[in-house]
Amino acid sequence: MLKHKEILSTIEMIDQQHLDIRTVTMGISLLSCCDPDPRRACEKIYEKITRSAENLVKTGEEIEAEFGIPIVNKRISVTPIAMVAAASETGDYVPFALAMDRAAKTCGVNFIGGYSALVQKGMTVADQRLIRSIPQALAETELVCSSVNVGSTRAGINMDAVSLMGRIVKETAAKTADRDGLGCAKLVVFCNAVEDNPFMAGAFHGAGEAERVINVGVSGPGVVYHALQSVKGQPFDVVAETVKKTAFRVTRMGQLVAQEASRRLDTPFGIVDLSLAPTPAIGDSVARILEEMGLEVCGTHGTTAALALLNDAVKKGGVMASSSVGGLSGAFIPVSEDEGMIAAARAGTLCLDKLEAMTCVCSVGLDMIAVPGDTPAETIAAVIADEAAIGMVNNKTTAVRLLPAPGKTVGDTVEMGGLLGSAPVMPVHRESSAAFIARGGRIPAPLHSLRN
């Protein structure tokens, strides 16, 4: 039975500490939409998405009102479009993105993910067509998000795909230059991408998933920050225990919403992703959690150790609260979406190299980082390769979402608004990686990939 104190504590978490359900995401399989006629395939895609998710937003709003729990985003993820479009006799894949965008607008969701390709070991003709269409697709749509998986622990790293994605990121920035390269905020490059991620821009509905599924992403940096204020100066085992207990409470709320949404939408419940996803709002920052542990500024020495503790404790608390934890589940460090990270980057304490080190112990990777607009495509590809190597060797999901800001240089700011926030343009190493990227081929999988 709930105690009065626990009810009041939960109300305080929601009202004052920015606790929310960050997203309820419906995954939809589009494999049944394959058709040799591309126009017919697009019609099937639009029809299936709108039929499957017609009540998603309404249901989310009803749950939000009845339970008093904020649900910030309602989203859709679909089967990687490269798989679906491969059956169509066309070389132009942009209409598939336009069909997704129309369907998302009809359903009233915030974003739709799945304009994706999985090329960790090689690229099919369909994969190449989709990847080359990404800049135009993101320029012509508003709600479509795209992702490409270029490596895995079992397959190694497809360096041909890495090289191509360096050029695609640059081209996407150029195609959306009138919006500070906003298209790049909707494009992520993965290693070890997961099939049940509810968070954008990397969400897609994996081939191993059910026909439809409900995945929920929770968030609570502000709640964790508040909890740590009560254990100032105490040993790290006390800090870890405090984070675990907080993550347990946050995840239980996510489980409740996920099960209720699943019941009302008559759609199987998939997973709860318990990632700490920050926002630009004051008091909703992962960086401030790390500073509460004793760091003067996020990015100084000790930051990686603090983040490792946070990430591990969040997972331990979450798995005790739900038997269906999945997705990415950890702590995100998107620079533009975290006011503490923004401040640390502007102060010069947080740099690209430090962020790369932090990705070894956190959830995902180099996220929402603005770099100079004249950064060469080979340099962007090399950053992707570095991050993919961390994921491959450590058997974890890593990703890169860089924003080469057209016409801007170090010290300038990229403004994207809303949850995407603003990002100070950060320096990259100017020494060339072109000869390294030009080698192509595949970086072999590590020895520990042979696990059978």
Side-chain angles (χ1 to χ4, degrees):
M1 184 175 179
L2 287 175
K3 297 180 180 178
H4 185 255
K5 182 179 179 181
E6 292 174 332
I7 295 172
L8 290 178
S9 174
T10 302
I11 293 172
E12 183 183 12
M13 288 162 64
I14 293 170
D15 191 46
Q16 300 177 25
Q17 299 165 23
H18 301 281
L19 177 61
D20 56 51
I21 299 298
R22 187 54 49 85
T23 180
V24 173
T25 301
M26 177 179 284
I28 304 170
S29 172
L30 297 184
L31 292 176
S32 61
C33 300
C34 294
D35 197 291
D37 181 348
R39 189 160 29 178
R40 179 67 183 135
C42 289
E43 290 173 356
K44 289 181 178 179
I45 288 170
Y46 176 85
E47 190 278 329
K48 186 165 187 180
I49 292 172
T50 53
R51 172 170 44 85
S52 300
E54 62 178 339
N55 294 319
L56 176 61
V57 172
K58 176 186 173 186
T59 300
E61 291 172 346
E62 289 173 351
I63 294 172
E64 190 174 10
E66 290 178 31
F67 288 77
I69 300 171
I71 301 175
V72 180
N73 296 293
K74 296 84 178 176
R75 297 166 172 168
I76 296 169
S77 64
V78 299
T79 307
I81 290 296
M83 295 182 180
V84 181
S88 296
E89 297 170 357
T90 179
D92 181 10
Y93 283 12
V94 172
F96 292 90
L98 295 173
M100 291 170 62
D101 200 49
R102 288 199 313 275
K105 289 175 179 176
T106 299
C107 294
V109 296
N110 307 92
F111 285 113
I112 182 167
Y115 198 73
S116 307
L118 310 179
V119 297
Q120 57 268 24
K121 202 169 183 180
M123 291 184 279
T124 65
V125 172
D127 292 328
Q128 293 187 48
R129 286 173 176 169
L130 182 131
I131 290 172
R132 295 184 189 280
S133 73
I134 287 173
Q136 192 64 37
L138 296 183
E140 292 189 26
T141 59
E142 294 180 38
L143 305 180
V144 172
C145 292
S146 179
S147 59
V148 178
N149 191 68
V150 299
S152 73
T153 299
R154 296 303 296 264
I157 303 172
N158 182 346
M159 290 300 292
D160 293 321
V162 168
S163 176
L164 177 57
M165 287 311 301
R167 300 193 296 275
I168 292 299
V169 170
K170 283 281 288 185
E171 189 178 339
T172 301
K175 290 276 188 183
T176 55
D178 58 329
R179 289 161 281 171
D180 271 355
L182 179 62
C184 294
K186 298 185 290 177
L187 172 60
V188 59
V189 186
F190 276 117
C191 177
N192 288 323
V194 297
E195 297 189 342
D196 56 5
N197 167 25
F199 286 101
M200 299 298 169
F204 63 86
H205 187 70
E209 295 286 311
E211 186 73 13
R212 293 193 307 167
V213 71
I214 289 291
N215 297 322
V216 168
V218 300
S219 185
V223 180
V224 174
Y225 173 76
H226 179 81
L228 291 184
Q229 290 180 314
S230 65
V231 294
K232 285 184 183 290
Q234 297 194 39
F236 281 115
D237 49 350
V238 176
V239 173
E241 194 65 23
T242 301
V243 174
K244 280 167 55 181
K245 290 178 179 177
T246 305
F248 177 89
R249 294 163 65 194
V250 170
T251 307
R252 290 299 280 179
M253 188 180 77
Q255 174 98 347
L256 170 68
V257 170
Q259 290 178 332
E260 190 64 21
S262 170
R263 182 183 68 81
R264 296 187 186 196
L265 291 166
D266 191 26
T267 300
F269 162 43
I271 58 93
V272 175
D273 187 317
L274 48 93
S275 298
L276 294 182
T279 71
I282 302 296
D284 201 26
S285 162
V286 169
R288 299 305 184 196
I289 296 173
L290 305 180
E291 291 169 358
E292 183 60 30
M293 291 187 196
L295 304 172
E296 184 176 356
V297 179
C298 177
T300 192
H301 303 297
T303 299
T304 305
L307 184 58
L309 181 152
L310 175 65
N311 207 54
D312 180 66
V314 164
K315 291 182 178 181
K316 286 175 177 173
V319 297
M320 292 299 293
S322 173
S323 59
S324 300
V325 170
L328 301 170
S329 290
F332 289 174
I333 51 171
V335 174
S336 80
E337 298 173 12
D338 186 309
E339 63 86 17
M341 298 272 178
I342 294 169
R346 284 186 174 141
T349 309
L350 192 62
C351 64
L352 198 58
D353 288 342
K354 184 62 176 179
L355 282 162
E356 183 181 298
M358 292 165 67
T359 64
C360 297
V361 299
C362 80
S363 191
V364 196
L366 296 171
D367 198 13
M368 293 299 287
I369 298 169
V371 297
D374 63 355
T375 302
E378 294 84 0
T379 298
I380 293 171
V383 172
I384 293 170
D386 282 343
E387 197 60 28
I390 290 172
M392 176 185 71
V393 171
N394 292 289
N395 197 26
K396 70 186 294 291
T397 303
T398 53
V400 173
R401 190 161 43 148
L402 289 185
L403 316 172
K408 296 196 174 184
T409 188
V410 176
D412 293 335
T413 299
V414 176
E415 297 285 352
M416 286 161 289
L419 285 176
L420 296 176
S422 64
V425 177
M426 301 173 68
V428 299
H429 292 290
R430 306 309 297 183
E431 295 78 12
S432 176
S433 306
F436 174 76
I437 295 300
R439 287 180 177 270
R442 186 155 57 95
I443 293 179
L447 182 61
H448 62 254
S449 68
L450 301 175
R451 302 177 67 181
N452 287 338

